[in-house]
Amino acid sequence: MVLSEPEGLLKIATADLETAEASSDPAVFREGAWGFWLQQAVEKALKAWLLHLDVDAPLTHDLRRLLLLLAAAGESTADLEPLAQLTVYAVQFRYDADPTPLGLDRTHYNRQVKALLVRVNELILAGSDRDP
């Protein structure tokens, strides 16, 4: 079966979340490594959602920008605003030799991102059930 572009992005987002979950132990993995994979999962999920709505997904790592595009398309995203702070992991944490940790609760954020992926998956599945 060939996946649509949103489905493909969501599949990759799921793999990114699995990697983030596997790197959740702060005694083993630095915050930036965990945060990078979590940010990637959110970015791809939001882009899948946009593409599902036939909105162009820009080449950006800025989660706030993606959330604003979803809101402009009429989607309710206020509950996702806390995830926007993960944007810092996309670039800054990867290239800063001594970043100031955010000290985020990894388990909590992993759960929030998992809920986002479930939400987007349900939207995409509901949309694929519609007649063309």
Side-chain angles (χ1 to χ4, degrees):
M1 179 174 120
V2 176
L3 298 176
S4 68
E5 190 173 6
E7 291 169 329
L9 278 174
L10 195 57
K11 183 176 182 176
I12 299 167
T14 300
D16 289 345
L17 174 59
E18 290 169 358
T19 303
E21 291 173 329
S23 59
S24 291
D25 184 349
V28 179
F29 293 93
R30 61 187 172 77
E31 184 179 311
W34 161 79
F36 170 76
W37 290 109
L38 203 63
Q39 184 281 335
Q40 287 291 290
V42 174
E43 179 182 328
K44 290 175 183 108
L46 296 179
K47 287 179 178 180
W49 190 351
L50 285 165
L51 291 170
H52 172 71
L53 297 171
D54 293 321
V55 176
D56 287 334
L59 294 174
T60 184
H61 298 299
D62 186 343
L63 301 178
R64 189 167 318 286
R65 180 174 175 202
L66 297 173
L67 289 168
L68 288 171
L69 287 170
L70 284 165
E75 298 296 303
S76 175
T77 61
D79 61 317
L80 301 174
E81 280 299 317
L83 297 178
Q85 70 182 315
L86 298 173
T87 297
V88 72
Y89 295 113
V91 179
Q92 291 92 328
F93 265 70
R94 291 172 50 211
Y95 295 100
D96 188 342
D98 192 24
T100 302
L102 298 182
L104 300 179
D105 180 334
R106 295 182 190 195
T107 302
H108 170 77
Y109 275 86
N110 288 347
R111 274 194 235 118
Q112 295 300 308
V113 174
K114 185 173 214 131
L116 169 64
L117 270 57
V118 167
R119 180 175 173 179
V120 174
N121 188 54
E122 289 173 354
L123 289 167
I124 290 171
L125 287 176
S128 66
D129 292 341
R130 290 184 282 156
D131 291 328

